[in-house]
Amino acid sequence: MPFPRSPRRALLPLLLVSALGLSACSGLGTLPIGSDGPTGSATATAAPGGTPGTRPSPAPSSTQAKPAPSSTAAAPSVSAPASVDGRPTVATALKQIPAKGRAPKTGYVRTEVFGAAWKDVDRNGCDTRNDILARDLTAVKYKPGTRECVVLSGALAEPYTGTTIHFVRGQGTSQAVQIDHVVALSDAWQKGAQELTQAQREQLANDPLNLLAVDGPSNARKSDGDAATWLPPKKSYRCAYVARQAAVKLKYGLWMTQGEKDAITRVISSCPTQTLPAA
């Protein structure tokens, strides 16, 4: 008669089955902390060899976006004559103007380092603003008793925008036409004018070569920008504009930044025979 099976022996098969099941499950591994499990939000990384239980890395998309090209275009090389009709070209002037970084603006106070605005530096009895208005406007009318000095009205063929402005002297109307320093005085200060004498800086601030009667809002938008940051909206005037800037910087021994030189080179690539203005 066989002996009855003890309860402990009856449990052995069940324990063996459980152990085998756990061994099989151990190959599945565990999800790393932060994986895309029931409560996770991060994407699990694939283990080497494609271990089951981990999400494989997605295949590279064939339409993956490429980095946007740089917005700063390289300055083209310009083949230009050294001079035209005895006048040096802008390309020639650029070769003579050094490229350097801006100096600090420390110490710049317009009325202190460049003198009071609109002096009568040529001693003709008229201040510089009226001299430039008389030069740049047509159909000019003068204030009686000022020996044709104070401009009351006139028409300006505005160079920066290509519009015509009818200038009328008076409160609230005079600022429609402003006198622009083609090379802004703040820009000049940071690019060599600190090394000039006081008399030379005052001459620069009142030099007709560096002055143009222009549209007031355009002058405000330009502020103290150089050719790298501002150019006239009227594209057909840009060659003459950068030529005047180059002439001023060459005359007073000022320098340009490399970005400024590059911007001027891009402009004159369409007008390689552009010469410097006489005045």
Side-chain angles (χ1 to χ4, degrees):
M1 181 175 181
F3 291 102
R5 182 178 297 177
S6 69
R8 182 176 295 176
R9 288 184 177 181
L11 290 172
L12 285 174
L14 292 175
L15 292 173
L16 288 171
V17 171
S18 297
L20 290 171
L22 288 172
S23 176
C25 291
S26 66
L28 295 177
T30 57
L31 286 173
I33 295 174
S35 65
D36 199 13
T39 59
S41 59
T43 302
T45 56
T51 305
T54 59
R55 182 176 298 173
S57 298
S61 170
S62 60
T63 59
Q64 187 174 1
K66 297 180 180 179
S70 171
S71 59
T72 305
S77 59
V78 177
S79 177
S83 64
V84 175
D85 296 331
R87 298 292 308 165
T89 60
V90 178
T92 298
L94 287 181
K95 294 176 182 177
Q96 301 175 48
I97 298 173
K100 302 181 185 179
R102 285 179 179 270
K105 198 175 177 180
T106 307
Y108 175 74
V109 179
R110 194 265 190 242
T111 54
E112 291 181 8
V113 298
F114 286 97
W118 313 135
K119 288 186 173 183
D120 179 15
V121 293
D122 59 2
R123 302 185 184 277
N124 68 346
C126 300
D127 62 65
T128 303
R129 174 178 167 82
N130 279 294
D131 281 342
I132 300 304
L133 288 174
R135 182 195 71 181
D136 292 352
L137 272 59
T138 58
V140 175
K141 292 184 178 180
Y142 297 97
K143 183 178 180 179
T146 63
R147 298 181 180 179
E148 294 192 345
C149 179
V150 178
V151 176
L152 288 180
S153 63
L156 174 66
E158 207 286 321
Y160 291 170
T161 62
T163 60
T164 298
I165 300 176
H166 297 283
F167 170 77
V168 177
R169 183 184 181 88
Q171 187 174 0
T173 59
S174 289
Q175 289 303 302
V177 173
Q178 298 179 13
I179 308 303
D180 179 34
H181 288 94
V182 179
V183 172
L185 298 184
S186 171
D187 180 73
W189 178 254
Q190 296 173 79
K191 297 175 183 174
Q194 296 183 35
E195 301 171 8
L196 301 178
T197 66
Q198 182 68 23
Q200 288 172 327
R201 287 195 294 267
E202 292 187 12
Q203 180 63 42
L204 167 61
N206 293 276
D207 191 339
L209 178 65
N210 193 34
L211 299 172
L212 287 175
V214 300
D215 168 55
S218 294
N219 190 38
R221 282 190 290 271
K222 172 189 171 181
S223 186
D224 60 356
D226 59 21
T229 59
W230 190 89
L231 288 168
K234 184 182 176 183
K235 292 184 178 180
S236 61
Y237 186 72
R238 290 180 178 179
C239 289
Y241 176 77
V242 299
R244 192 168 288 271
Q245 285 193 325
V248 171
K249 294 211 165 183
L250 187 63
K251 178 177 179 178
Y252 288 92
L254 308 179
W255 66 75
M256 296 181 177
T257 64
Q258 189 58 54
E260 183 181 2
K261 271 196 165 187
D262 290 346
I264 292 176
T265 301
R266 283 191 289 272
V267 171
I268 64 170
S269 66
S270 64
C271 50
T273 59
Q274 175 70 49
T275 58
L276 301 184

